[in-house]
Amino acid sequence: MPPDKMKMNENEGVGDKIHFKNKMADRKFFVGGNWKMNGNKSAIDGILKFLADGPLDPNAEVVVGCPTIYIDYVVSKAPKNIGVAAQNCYKVPSGAFTGEISPAMIKDIGAEWVILGHSERRNVFGETDELIAEKCGHALAEGVKIIACVGELLEEREAGKTQEVVFRQTKAIADKVSDWSKVVIAYEPVWAIGTGKTATPEQAQEMHEQLRKWLKDNVSEDVAKSTRIIYGGSVTAGSCQELGKKPDVDGFLVGGASLKPDFVKIINATQ
């Protein structure tokens, strides 16, 4: 084998390892599991068992988002290294808002996180940028950490409006953020959610890099460096490693795959 070819093979993957090291130094890898409207006690017991059996990467922060009715159950049963999130909350502490829950209630039963602005809340339930931003602001004010979701529809991407849409959504949220250390941003291209389609690692990296630059230009350099930006959209055990190698992809928000044992492989994507 020619010496130059040998040298190239010896160095293969070195750049990826350096990216991991640099990324992990600033931002702890984060994997969220969004169970959506799925599960019962028996199924949840199964999920918590494979998470307990792991083994899970000790350098990854793991949070599961469960249906409201099961939050208390999951908090009581989950391994101590697994955080628990609500999938939604409202923008005020209490009141005549049938069917809603407040950040105060989330905290009261021992959960620390809430997922806000998910594409299904935006596009199925018609939540506006303004409402999502108000929810984010109130959750943070109550001491609940947020996974704030942004992302474009297929027609918006095809019309060349990805940046416009994602930056508009991000600005609305950023205007209400009081403590960036309690914020994880999830970029989830809507066309890749539940469709089996996944943004290529290059597409994901491009948008994550642009989001980080937006934070630098519009919030601060420190916030841009420290805020974790995770990718959501049909993440699987097969796609997670290449996505996780990208320097601005700090983890994943996982849907259906978080209900299956392969979720462990996704959590361990950078090992």
Side-chain angles (χ1 to χ4, degrees), residues 85-158:
Q87 295 177 10
N88 188 34
C89 70
Y90 200 50
K91 62 180 183 178
V92 293
S94 62
F97 302 103
T98 301
E100 294 289 342
I101 63 171
S102 70
M105 294 172 179
I106 294 168
K107 280 179 62 180
D108 188 47
I109 58 172
E112 297 182 335
W113 289 87
V114 62
I115 301 168
L116 292 170
H118 191 277
S119 64
E120 289 153 8
R121 299 305 312 178
R122 294 177 186 271
N123 299 303
V124 177
F125 298 100
E127 293 190 3
T128 64
D129 292 349
E130 180 183 13
L131 176 58
I132 291 161
E134 289 174 338
K135 289 181 176 187
C136 288
H138 178 61
L140 290 169
E142 291 288 306
V144 175
K145 294 176 278 191
I146 66 172
I147 302 168
C149 304
V150 297
E152 81 282 8
L153 298 166
L154 179 60
E155 54 265 37
E156 292 167 336
R157 172 168 278 269
E158 290 178 340

Side-chain angles (χ1 to χ4, degrees), residues 57-114:
D57 182 353
N59 294 314
E61 182 171 5
V62 182
V63 174
V64 293
C66 51
T68 301
I69 198 167
Y70 294 120
I71 296 174
D72 196 19
Y73 184 77
V74 176
V75 167
S76 69
K77 298 281 188 177
K80 297 303 181 187
N81 59 337
I82 305 293
V84 181
Q87 295 177 10
N88 188 34
C89 70
Y90 200 50
K91 62 180 183 178
V92 293
S94 62
F97 302 103
T98 301
E100 294 289 342
I101 63 171
S102 70
M105 294 172 179
I106 294 168
K107 280 179 62 180
D108 188 47
I109 58 172
E112 297 182 335
W113 289 87
V114 62

Side-chain angles (χ1 to χ4, degrees), residues 190-267:
V190 183
W191 48 271
I193 297 174
T195 63
K197 297 179 181 179
T198 306
T200 66
E202 291 72 28
Q203 286 174 320
Q205 166 58 22
E206 179 183 30
M207 195 63 239
H208 283 230
E209 185 177 20
Q210 290 169 355
L211 265 170
R212 204 170 301 286
K213 185 177 185 305
W214 188 93
L215 291 173
K216 179 181 177 182
D217 294 343
N218 294 275
V219 184
S220 76
E221 186 170 0
D222 286 345
V223 165
K225 284 181 178 179
S226 61
T227 299
R228 292 173 289 184
I229 305 174
I230 62 176
Y231 172 77
S234 297
V235 177
T236 67
S239 65
C240 65
Q241 287 194 332
E242 288 304 311
L243 284 162
K245 287 177 182 177
K246 296 302 180 184
D248 289 294
V249 176
D250 301 316
F252 310 110
L253 183 58
V254 185
S258 69
L259 303 169
K260 304 170 186 175
D262 268 0
F263 189 45
V264 172
K265 296 179 182 176
I266 297 172
I267 292 167

